[in-house]
Amino acid sequence: MKRLPIFWSFRRCPYAMRARLAVKSAGLQVELREILLRDKPDAFLAVSETATVPVLEHNDGQVIEESRDIMFWALQQSGDPEQWLTGWKQDQAGLQAFLDQLDGPFKTHLDRYKYSARFAEDKADAAELASYHRAEGAAFLKQIDTRLDRNPFLNGSEAGLADYAALPFVRQFRIADITWFDDQDWPAVHLWLQAFLASQRFAAIMHKYTPWKPGDAPVVF
């Protein structure tokens, strides 16, 4: 029996979440190896130059480390059964720009909002930093709300790559202060996010696995 590609993952990482979403949508199977970021296995460090998840390790030695690249690989490998790439085919430049903004400035604002104490010298500085980056991140979410007011999904009439690339990060932004987030005047964003969080699709990729150890039986995902 041919060995499945190895998928190194951490359950709560939004990059790993969106890659798992794409693998599930594609109907592919991988050998999932859950790790702890504070205790990374040597076998993982041996294949990951960046030492970050997700990582897809193929039988032929090919390694894919970027979550976006894993998403595209899974969808293209499978023929994109749920048509997640519709928006990409219609406007590659537009989707590329959105993903760059999501993974670049928005992710920076998210990190400095949620983990402001890591980037500040004291509590007062951390509070000011968090407030600034929350406002900057909120401006991007307002843009998403405007787009979702025109179409039910970022991908168009059905959810697709843009939606599932963004949703794990929007979820993290909400977790930083749920009460504040839910009070914002983003009706379309709230509906979009809550539908995702209540979905079987989300539940299917959030199962808790025991962290992998050498010698463990393969976990098929």
Side-chain angles (χ1 to χ4, degrees), residues 16-219:
M17 286 169 60
R18 69 185 188 182
R20 295 198 306 271
L21 284 163
V23 169
K24 278 292 187 186
S25 173
L28 301 177
Q29 287 188 327
V30 294
E31 178 186 332
L32 188 139
R33 293 185 178 179
E34 178 76 5
I35 67 170
L36 297 176
L37 298 183
R38 65 176 182 273
D39 187 20
K40 299 170 184 175
D42 291 340
F44 167 71
L45 295 173
V47 299
S48 175
E49 292 185 359
T50 60
T52 57
V53 292
V55 172
L56 189 72
E57 181 184 349
H58 291 274
N59 296 332
D60 61 4
Q62 178 190 10
V63 174
I64 306 177
E65 294 203 60
E66 293 293 332
S67 60
R68 270 200 240 177
D69 293 339
I70 294 174
M71 293 182 81
F72 277 108
W73 168 82
L75 298 172
Q76 292 168 348
Q77 183 83 5
S78 64
D80 190 20
E82 294 187 306
Q83 301 300 301
W84 279 24
L85 295 176
T86 300
W88 174 257
K89 293 172 182 176
Q90 293 174 346
D91 183 10
Q92 290 190 21
L95 181 51
Q96 184 71 49
F98 173 79
L99 294 174
D100 288 346
Q101 189 176 7
L102 173 72
D103 292 353
F106 180 73
K107 183 59 166 62
T108 297
H109 295 313
L110 167 61
D111 288 344
R112 282 158 177 73
Y113 165 41
K114 189 174 181 183
Y115 307 111
S116 60
R118 298 180 185 177
F119 302 93
E121 295 182 359
D122 53 41
K123 288 185 178 180
D125 186 38
E128 183 178 350
L129 192 70
S131 179
Y132 169 77
H133 287 288
R134 182 171 74 178
E136 292 296 308
F140 180 63
L141 292 172
K142 183 61 179 177
Q143 294 176 22
I144 290 180
D145 189 71
T146 299
R147 286 184 59 177
L148 293 172
D149 193 47
R150 296 194 297 264
N151 290 294
F153 300 101
L154 298 177
N155 194 54
S157 60
E158 300 290 340
L161 180 69
D163 300 274
Y164 293 116
L167 278 160
F169 295 97
V170 178
R171 171 182 175 269
Q172 268 208 343
F173 200 92
R174 177 177 183 263
I175 288 172
D177 188 336
I178 292 174
T179 300
W180 176 88
F181 186 98
D182 290 349
D183 282 344
Q184 300 311 296
D185 185 23
W186 303 326
V189 164
H190 294 312
L191 288 173
W192 173 70
L193 177 60
Q194 289 304 319
F196 171 65
L197 296 178
S199 69
Q200 180 57 39
R201 186 188 299 273
F202 178 66
I205 64 131
M206 294 302 287
H207 180 79
K208 291 184 179 181
Y209 294 96
T210 302
W212 176 84
K213 304 187 304 299
D216 283 351
V219 174

